[in-house]
Amino acid sequence: MTSAEAGTLRRLAPPARRFLAHRKGVLVRLALWSLAESGQAFLVGHAVARSVDEGFLAGDPRRGLLWLGIALVAVLSGARVVRGVFAQLAGVTEPLRDGLVRRAVDRSMARAARGGPGGTDRAAVSRLTNQVEIARDSFAGLVLTLRSFVFTAAGALLGLLSLHPALLVVVLPPLAAGLALFLFTLRPMAAAQRRALAADEALGDHAARARAALRDLAACGTGPGAERSGADLVADAAAAARTLAGWAAVRTAALGVAGHLPVLALLVAVERLRGHGVSVGALLGAFTYLVQSLLPALHTLMTALGAAGSRLLVVLDRILGAEQEQEQEQEQEQVPGPGPGPGPGIASAPAAAFTVDTAAVPALELRAVTLSYGVRAEPVLDALDLCVAPGEHLAVVGPSGIGKSTLTRLVAGTLAPSRGEVRVAGRPVTGRPAAELAALRVLVPQDAYVFSGTVGDNLAYLRTDASRAELDAAVGAFGLGTLVERLGGLDATVRPAELSPGERQLVALVRAYLSPAPLLLLDEATCHLDPASEARAEEALAGRAGTLVVVAHRLSSAVRADRTLVLDGVRAQCGTHAELLGRSPLYRDLTGHWNS
């Protein structure tokens, strides 16, 4: 048993005792029906043995038929026993399902009311549907099969002992070996089941984010990255399924050992058993106990305990442990959520006041970040370390296709690294909900996004509470006054198709300028501007409170920056313009190319 399962059992013990204490009547009736099943199992094998020894072999066919009739009545009574068991089983399983649904709904609603980190609990959908049904079905299967095995095995083993003790000596060793092999598979199968459920939740969360962010994924050009992330999640789920299948094969072998070797051992030992005084009827009764009662119950037990048992523990851990995880998140994540956002890319709602002391931690930090598009692919970035101070202006340069845009997407949180960690304002960005990412950074891509609305709405897209004076000041800082006047003022409607690529970029840059996010990422966001407009825009953004990271389109962007990061394949160098001219051949080549 894993430590997680042990912890789950400890958490479940008190509520399980309370749950069962309120259903004593149901449990008593279930036990009585189970005792009837135990007596049925004992009677079938015993009647077969007596019919042979005391009836047919003793020359009394009427007595033999009488005992067979008793066996037949015992078998037919099994239908009534099963009906009674299922009638009582519903009194235990359905209240469990209702309780789990209530707990999942209450916790999801409480988290939504708190407005905690990450916004809504998207994983609650999986808990309310798939996981609650798994818990109900798995619990029902466990109660049914455990009860059946215990009482059926007790009746069958007692019957074997009553026929002849030597029969137990032959049958028990292969049974014990099969059970031991089966128990060995429980721990790895439970771990694989846990990974499969986690992959299911992650895939559902990714789908919800991507669906809400379709507009911004298209605007930022991050659709292929989101597609790759989804493919990775599907691959993780498939890998977990393959692992489960592998251990299921081992479990099948255990079933073969426990389910078939006892019969084979009894066949091989017939002559020896006969020599020890075991009658023909006792041998036939033993085979009846094995084939009719013991081995089917064992097969059902191993199937249910191996699949339903591990699933039940994992699912209950996901459902009942959710509140504990949410409380831990609330303690660790004290940044208030800015409200719903569209997901990766450009945020679609104003970010709330950012409460992190950004002067006390690096504005941006990469720790041994590696990214490869595939297991065997060459890394685009390899063990990259980078630290950017609050308020610093960093330029990123390198040949086309070297990984500059990949770097900005990693920093923006729209792409996860293969290894390493990316932190913005001291907080990891990988896997962080879109609402929190909106409070940390703004990404302006090469193809800027402008929507059909007023000029003011486009400019204040990331800060809806911006005053008219602030909008006018931002328009003046970027030299956008002529465009705004041509369009008819801040209240005029924008038709994106009528704007040039450079004009759309200026609108997006003013939008980023007004954002309260402490980090601005420009991924060649000034490539459609003339040099003068680019210089004016970058100077305005650099003068804004916060940190600026620019994927440089011209040498002038690198010269204006406090430092420049040069990407050269798997290598990277960072320094001022003068320092890089002295120590980076690639930077000197790029400088010569730009100057020419």
Side-chain angles (χ1 to χ4, degrees):
M1 178 178 294
T2 64
S3 59
E5 290 168 344
T8 301
L9 288 174
R10 286 193 296 269
R11 288 197 302 272
L12 290 177
R17 285 194 294 267
R18 292 193 297 269
F19 177 81
L20 296 176
H22 287 84
R23 289 158 182 84
K24 292 180 180 178
V26 174
L27 295 177
V28 169
R29 291 191 293 272
L30 191 60
L32 291 176
W33 283 111
S34 301
L35 283 174
E37 187 173 358
S38 181
Q40 176 205 10
F42 174 84
L43 193 58
V44 169
H46 190 80
V48 169
R50 291 290 180 267
S51 70
V52 174
D53 288 340
E54 299 177 5
F56 299 113
L57 291 182
D60 190 353
R62 295 180 59 186
R63 188 178 185 85
L65 290 174
L66 177 63
W67 276 111
L68 287 180
I70 294 175
L72 178 61
V73 171
V75 171
L76 294 177
S77 66
R80 182 72 182 92
V81 172
V82 170
R83 180 181 176 184
V85 167
F86 273 93
Q88 302 306 318
L89 187 64
V92 180
T93 57
E94 294 308 311
L96 173 71
R97 177 187 180 278
D98 295 341
L100 292 177
V101 168
R102 283 195 298 270
R103 290 174 73 94
V105 170
D106 290 344
R107 288 171 180 175
S108 181
M109 296 296 291
R111 177 169 182 171
R114 285 197 306 264
T120 57
D121 183 12
R122 298 183 181 94
V125 176
S126 177
R127 296 189 190 106
L128 284 172
T129 55
N130 186 37
Q131 295 185 25
V132 166
E133 292 304 318
I134 288 177
R136 191 268 303 270
D137 294 343
S138 300
F139 180 68
L142 280 178
V143 172
L144 187 64
T145 56
L146 282 172
R147 173 209 57 80
S148 177
F149 175 76
V150 169
F151 287 93
T152 300
L157 293 176
L158 183 62
L160 287 171
L161 182 62
S162 68
L163 294 177
H164 200 286
L167 295 171
L168 287 179
V169 177
V170 175
V171 169
L172 281 181
L175 279 175
L179 280 173
L181 181 59
F182 165 73
L183 292 175
F184 173 75
T185 66
L186 290 180
R187 181 172 180 174
M189 285 192 71
Q193 185 69 49
R194 188 180 302 275
R195 288 195 298 271
L197 282 175
D200 178 59
E201 287 187 359
L203 187 58
D205 184 66
H206 173 79
R209 292 187 188 184
R211 184 171 58 251
L214 290 178
R215 181 177 64 184
D216 299 294
L217 287 171
C220 296
T222 54
E227 182 180 354
R228 283 191 294 270
S229 298
D232 290 341
L233 292 173
V234 172
D236 290 342
R242 285 192 294 270
T243 302
L244 279 173
W247 285 108
V250 179
R251 189 183 66 193
T252 301
L255 283 172
V257 172
H260 298 290
L261 280 187
V263 176
L264 294 176
L266 196 58
L267 286 172
V268 172
V270 165
E271 184 177 353
R272 184 181 296 273
L273 290 171
R274 291 285 293 150
H276 285 77
V278 179
S279 66
V280 174
L283 287 172
L284 288 176
F287 281 113
T288 302
Y289 280 128
L290 287 176
V291 177
Q292 186 71 24
S293 300
L294 188 58
L295 297 185
L298 179 64
H299 182 279
T300 305
L301 172 72
M302 294 174 70
T303 302
L305 190 59
S310 61
R311 282 201 306 267
L312 180 62
L313 283 179
V314 172
V315 169
L316 289 179
D317 185 41
R318 304 296 295 183
I319 297 175
L320 301 181
E323 183 177 39
Q324 196 171 36
E325 293 173 3
Q326 292 171 6
E327 291 173 355
Q328 292 173 353
E329 288 178 358
Q330 195 173 27
E331 292 174 0
Q332 296 172 359
E333 307 288 346
Q334 297 299 323
V335 181
I346 304 176
S348 66
F354 195 74
T355 60
V356 176
D357 183 7
T358 54
V361 296
L364 169 62
E365 189 175 10
L366 276 68
R367 300 177 178 177
V369 170
T370 299
L371 179 74
S372 299
Y373 293 112
V375 178
R376 299 181 180 179
E378 290 294 328
V380 179
L381 300 173
D382 190 9
L384 176 61
D385 292 309
L386 178 66
C387 185
V388 181
E392 188 174 3
H393 179 185
L394 178 74
V396 181
V397 302
S400 178
I402 203 67
K404 303 186 294 296
S405 294
T406 297
L407 176 62
T408 60
R409 290 169 57 197
L410 286 169
V411 175
T414 62
L415 184 64
S418 304
R419 292 187 299 275
E421 186 178 40
V422 180
R423 287 178 171 263
V424 173
R427 296 181 176 273
V429 298
T430 302
R432 189 168 292 276
E436 294 180 25
L437 289 175
L440 291 171
R441 89 295 181 262
V442 172
L443 171 63
V444 184
Q446 180 177 350
D447 297 320
Y449 176 67
V450 176
F451 58 87
S452 296
T454 67
V455 177
D457 288 342
N458 269 278
L459 298 180
Y461 187 53
L462 302 180
R463 186 182 164 194
T464 56
D465 61 346
S467 66
R468 191 62 171 252
E470 290 172 322
L471 291 176
D472 290 337
V475 167
F478 284 80
L480 206 61
T482 303
L483 174 62
V484 173
E485 183 179 351
R486 191 192 81 203
L487 294 174
L490 294 175
D491 297 325
T493 300
V494 176
R495 294 179 177 82
E498 296 179 0
L499 299 181
S500 69
E503 289 170 338
R504 287 197 293 269
Q505 283 189 335
L506 282 173
V507 172
L509 291 172
V510 173
R511 178 191 301 154
Y513 175 82
L514 291 169
S515 166
L519 175 63
L520 298 187
L521 302 168
L522 307 186
D523 185 6
E524 295 195 7
T526 60
C527 63
H528 297 300
L529 302 181
D530 59 78
S533 298
E534 179 186 59
R536 184 171 187 170
E538 287 188 7
E539 288 172 2
L541 292 170
R544 170 189 178 277
T547 305
L548 178 63
V549 176
V550 179
V551 174
H553 178 66
R554 297 183 176 92
L555 174 63
S556 54
S557 294
V559 174
R560 282 190 294 267
D562 299 322
R563 288 190 302 157
T564 299
L565 174 67
V566 182
L567 297 181
D568 182 9
V570 295
R571 298 183 301 276
Q573 295 189 61
C574 193
T576 65
H577 173 66
E579 291 171 345
L580 292 173
L581 285 175
R583 68 171 189 244
S584 173
L586 175 60
Y587 188 73
R588 289 196 296 271
D589 291 343
L590 290 173
T591 301
H593 172 73
W594 274 324
N595 287 334
S596 63

